[in-house]
Amino acid sequence: MSTLTQQEFVLGLFEAAPATYSSLRQLGKESFYAQGLPALKAEEYKFTPIAKKLETSLTDFSPAKPVKISAEQVKSAVFAGFEGVVLVFSNGQYVPEYSTSAEGLSVRLLSENESTPLGSIAKVDKDPFVALNQATFSDGLHIGIEKNKEIDSPILLLQFHQAQGGQVISPRIWIEAGDFSKATFIDYQISLDDAPYFVNKVVEIKGGVNADLTYHSLQTAHNQVIEVSNVVTDIQKDSQFTSTQITLSGDMVRNNLTLNLLGSNSVGNMYGIYLLNGKTHVDNHTNVDHTIPHAESNELYKGILADQSRGVFNGKIFVRQIAQKTNAFQQNNNILLSDDAIINTKPQLEIWADDVKCSHGCTVGQLDEEALFYLQARGIDKTTAKGLLLYAFAGEVLDKIEVDSLRNHIVAQIQERLGSKF
Amino acid sequence: MLSIKNLHASIEGTPILRGINLEVKAGEVHAIMGPNGSGKSTLASVLAGREEYEVTEGQVLFQGKELLELSPEDRAREGVFLAFQYPIEIPGVSTTNFLRTALNQVREYRGLEPLDAVKFLSLMKEKMALVEIDQKLLSRSLNEGFSGGEKKRNEIFQMAMLEPVLSILDETDSGLDIDALRIVSNGVNKLKSEKTATIVVTHYQRLLDYIVPDFVHVLYKGRIVKSGTKELALELEEKGYDWIKEEVDSTATV
């Protein structure tokens, strides 16, 4: 256990930062110093003492260099039955060797061409970790979807992580989808060993008009991993963006998801499942900004918490005065399976327009004993019955995942966790 | 088949059953009647293994086995079936999926091979006809948004699928209109055999016109205070329960 000051914490990262995007990095650095790591009890990180966690869990704060990935590792990481594009990353760095492509899809390293307007969607002053990433990321990927192209097969971002001499991994991804394009991304993180590390990820997604984009994220890191993820997207006129966030493990995970609805007739969907055990701590902060009239947002997050796990849900819906005829729906339901599990859930609605439809609701409960008895009375053992009920609870979100191979993979993991097949 | 001896049960310290004795043989239909709060549903729940009830005394033998020592699922696998008074709604779980899991666990316990999807489906089709239930209903979430009659029919459908030895119908008739009552009773009657037995818990005589009992027992204050044949049910229908209450209460005070 070491105790590092914030200065020491970031110093190694700043020193190791490459020379690319120097002015943007400088902005990030200044913004980070202005904000600092979130203080204990800071409103936005009230239930997630991330700075303390970093200070007590990590011993080295230099960037983790990419590790060698084998074809075998890639092969075994891809879900059974997956058909689509695979983009491989090692500690945030793109590995072209095992990556595939599709018509209408282009990739290039961020360092290749410094024209990518990093930070224009994920703004440094919104979160200190965005600032830290912008100041210190090693390299990242610019992913382009051509105008008018509908890429039917999903694009799997296979993110291999392993602390390798350093412990901080700073993935940086910029996705730019042209007008009338369509694409589905799966961000899948895999820990290669059991050593602790910190992932500070920033994904910016710039959608064109009438675009249809889906971003699935599957977090199954091992239980010493600390992660902060910032996914921010600009959604234009007549567009749809859907996010699903599935978190099954980790030490402390904080997901910031921000949807900026910038054009009318746009739709933003935010779905999530967190199925937690042990001492895993997962905090989902979502933020949808209705800036124009006639847009819609839908949100459904479901949590199942066992052992001493802890969940935090904070769903912010911001409806600006001009954003009349907004439809915004939010729901967060939780089942606590033990007396020691904790959930802090908070809807946060700020509505300045006066002709809108907004609803929110959250529930916290236990497994329905009556339903359990009903299933047992039909001959189903208790473990399977519990699994069946919890699976049904999560099912509403799982049904939103249209990629069969991904959904089956998640279902199998959930079944394994719940100890039952059904 | 079923032998209940001096069964006492309480909930949160309050005694509900105060010494039930009942013998049920294969091929028999027993009706258990009684005023509200007499312990009818408690008896059904205790037999099925509902955990809230604490058995404080007595013994229940089912086909020679100590029933009270079995978990609810093992009771079901041994062949006890409870048709619930209030069938539970379970969103997200389809009747089909749930029943296939149940049936295969029951079959496994009985040393039978699991049914594959095709065989399961054809069995389902056969049993669906018994209670005139629609397949569309079965692919929906279990009991969610079902009418009262549909829920009760679904109970009997499940009973048909699981082929129990002893069926306990807990007020299956309450809330049913005549058509639904006829369909449900029909289903129960078709499932009866020389090898199975049925316990019908009901408040009303009406059901017993359709499911004709061999024996009628009146439960009052946690005991069986009167037993007879189906004529007893007709007498109760005509005279109500007050005369039995008076009879019992007066002998109790003497």
Side-chain angles (χ1 to χ4, degrees), chain A residues 5-15 25-38 124-125 127-133 135-136:
Chain A
T5 63
Q6 286 189 20
Q7 297 289 338
E8 289 170 312
F9 164 51
V10 292
L11 208 59
L13 285 176
F14 286 140
E15 281 172 358
R25 286 180 193 278
Q26 185 58 31
L27 276 175
K29 190 173 178 175
E30 281 163 16
S31 179
F32 179 78
Y33 278 121
Q35 297 174 77
L37 285 176
V124 289
D125 58 352
D127 185 87
F129 291 100
V130 173
L132 184 64
N133 178 292
T136 64

Side-chain angles (χ1 to χ4, degrees), chain B residues 82-148:
Chain B
L82 171 66
F84 280 61
Q85 183 180 3
Y86 305 109
I88 312 296
E89 297 191 6
I90 307 184
V93 178
S94 72
T95 305
T96 311
N97 186 23
F98 139 72
L99 210 49
R100 196 173 163 205
T101 307
L103 184 63
N104 280 337
Q105 286 209 358
V106 169
R107 287 179 66 89
E108 193 186 340
Y109 185 87
R110 294 176 188 170
L112 301 168
E113 288 288 303
L115 286 188
D116 61 32
V118 178
K119 283 190 182 134
F120 176 79
L121 220 65
S122 72
L123 181 68
M124 230 176 71
K125 287 234 161 78
E126 180 197 323
K127 304 293 185 186
M128 267 159 42
L130 269 181
V131 287
E132 301 172 33
I133 200 165
D134 195 63
Q135 189 161 1
K136 267 185 231 145
L137 213 57
L138 301 179
S139 52
R140 272 168 47 185
S141 283
L142 185 59
N143 292 328
E144 198 184 27
F146 285 27
S147 70

Side-chain angles (χ1 to χ4, degrees), chain A residues 370 374 376 378-379 381, chain B residues 50 73 77 82 105 155 158:
Chain A
E370 276 293 300
Y374 188 88
Q376 283 180 277
R378 296 295 176 257
D381 71 81
Chain B
R50 199 185 279 274
E73 56 266 35
R77 293 161 180 177
L82 171 66
Q105 286 209 358
E155 292 294 290
Q158 290 173 34

